[in-house]
Structures are given as structure tokens and as C-alpha cells.
Amino acid sequence: MGKKIVFKRPDGKESSGYYSVPDAGEEAPGVVVIQEWWGLNDQIRAVSDRLAMAGYRALVPDLYRGKVTLEAAEAEHLMSNLDFADAATQDIRGAIQYLKGSSPKVAVLGFCMGGALSILTAVHVKEVDAAVCWYGIPPEEAADTRTIEIPIQGHFALEDEHFTPDQVDALESRLKAGKVNYEFYRYQAKHAFGNEVSENHDPAATKLAWQRTLEFLEKRTR
């Protein structure tokens, strides 16, 4: 359904990504999808296509520049070498600007590593209209989340060893302190419960989280 495209970053450099277009065409609302630490793989392409079937223009920026892995150790290496600030303010912002060329509103939706980046984007990228985070939290020192000015939705696993319930509670406290418009949901599931190819996949939690995500996007981008 989707295709590879090239778009400009704010600094003038080029970035590429996977782009899915809905039947509604180029003026439909947009969603920038942010990958897990595995890279721009078939699973995250399927998320982009799913959003297109729901009526959104979806663009997944290729943050690893073509690298994809199935190995956790290599994924951790790729993620640790990623400049998160550059990814949020250049690749992801460039993708948002690309969609904003004809979409009136654009949201960002990220999973795991991408969830943390969606929160960083909510802080640093003023063009974005809403953000959805699936089980990912940036370090507290990476951004002042109290300054977020857009609606944000979060989906977190109560049995998550990577992004623990205590970290989620701390993030929620900061959002409350900043009077951020947010809604958080917690699921009796493990990390990456929404990834269909993960051993932690939880179909029931995934179905509910997707229902809430699509309702949020409908409310915030149309």
C-alpha cells in the first residue's frame, strides 16, 4: 500500500520514509509514525498502512537510514547511536512539515523508542497538533514535559521492565504540574504488547489501545 519517499529536513538535508496514502487523498489528516528500536521494518510499515486504511496520511521517517535488525543487542546498539534531539527536531519535524504541506492537522504516534521520541516531539516541535505514546518515556533530563502545549495520549504496560510503572507515574506527575492536556491508560501487559510479532503481544490490550488511539486521533486531527 505504501511507498518510499524522500523529504526535506528543516536543516535542508534529505531524509526518507515509508508513506501510506488513504482513499481520501493528500488532504486527509496526517500521522507521523515513529519506529521501535528495530528500525523501519514490515511491522511498522503495517502500522502506517493501518492508519491509511483508517483515513490518515501516514509517514514513517527512517531514523536508522535503512538499517533494520531482529537482534535485541543490535537494536540497542542502533538506538544508543541515534541522536534523539536530531531525530525529533530534524527527521520527525521534517516529516511533520511534509504532511503539513497539505494536511490541516498532523499528529505523531510512536512505539517503544518511538514513544519516547513522540514525547520529545511534543515538547520541541511546534507544528505538531497531538501526540500518542505507546510504552516509551524519555529521560527526565531530556526535555521539560511540563511545557507540552498539545494534547497527548499514553499507553503503558503495568508489567513493563523497560519503562516501569514508577517512571510512568513520574511522567504523569510532571504533566499534571504543567497542566498538560493528557490522558494515560495502563494495561495488565508486558512491554511491546502492541507489536504483533513480539513474544509479549497481548491481542486484547492491543485492540483496546488501538481503539483509544483512533478515537483520540479522530478528535484531535479532524
Side-chain angles (χ1 to χ4, degrees):
M1 178 185 251
K3 62 182 180 180
K4 180 179 178 179
I5 65 164
V6 174
F7 58 90
K8 290 283 189 183
R9 296 167 22 131
D11 63 5
K13 296 179 182 177
E14 287 188 340
S15 188
S16 65
Y18 181 80
Y19 178 49
S20 307
V21 186
D23 291 341
E26 298 286 345
E27 294 183 2
V31 180
V32 171
V33 181
I34 315 177
Q35 66 193 49
E36 295 189 10
W37 68 349
W38 308 112
L40 207 172
N41 58 14
D42 289 344
Q43 188 271 333
I44 207 72
R45 287 188 180 93
V47 171
S48 180
D49 292 342
R50 178 177 189 161
L51 287 163
M53 287 186 282
Y56 297 92
R57 299 169 69 209
L59 176 55
V60 191
D62 186 359
L63 303 182
Y64 287 169
R65 308 290 188 262
K67 293 181 180 178
V68 179
T69 184
L70 296 172
E71 301 295 329
E74 186 179 0
E76 186 170 8
H77 176 72
L78 289 168
M79 183 179 73
S80 65
N81 285 337
L82 182 68
D83 183 334
F84 273 59
D86 182 76
T89 61
Q90 294 297 328
D91 292 310
I92 296 168
R93 188 181 180 202
I96 291 167
Q97 290 175 341
Y98 176 86
L99 293 179
K100 277 268 178 166
S102 55
S103 291
K105 290 190 176 181
V106 175
V108 62
L109 164 63
F111 301 82
C112 181
M113 177 188 86
L117 280 164
S118 70
I119 294 173
L120 290 177
T121 300
V123 173
H124 295 298
V125 180
K126 298 308 178 187
E127 292 97 331
V128 71
D129 295 291
V132 182
C133 166
W134 285 50
Y135 38 78
I137 299 172
E140 188 171 348
E141 64 273 13
D144 186 353
T145 50
R146 296 171 299 177
T147 65
I148 293 174
E149 297 179 351
I150 60 171
I152 185 168
Q153 184 185 68
H155 303 274
F156 302 100
L158 291 169
E159 300 167 44
D160 198 327
E161 297 175 355
H162 297 276
F163 300 99
T164 65
D166 285 347
Q167 289 175 283
V168 177
D169 292 345
L171 173 59
E172 184 170 24
S173 294
R174 293 193 293 276
L175 296 180
K176 282 182 178 177
K179 295 182 171 57
V180 177
N181 181 357
Y182 80 94
E183 52 188 72
F184 275 8
Y185 299 99
R186 294 163 172 84
Y187 304 82
Q188 200 64 53
K190 296 181 179 179
H191 180 72
F193 67 82
N195 185 330
E196 301 82 1
V197 300
S198 166
E199 61 183 13
N200 292 339
H201 179 50
D202 186 313
T206 301
K207 181 179 179 181
L208 181 55
W210 263 109
Q211 178 185 327
R212 287 167 167 164
T213 295
L214 291 173
E215 287 173 355
F216 178 81
L217 292 174
E218 175 76 20
K219 183 177 180 181
R220 300 301 180 182
T221 65
R222 294 186 186 273

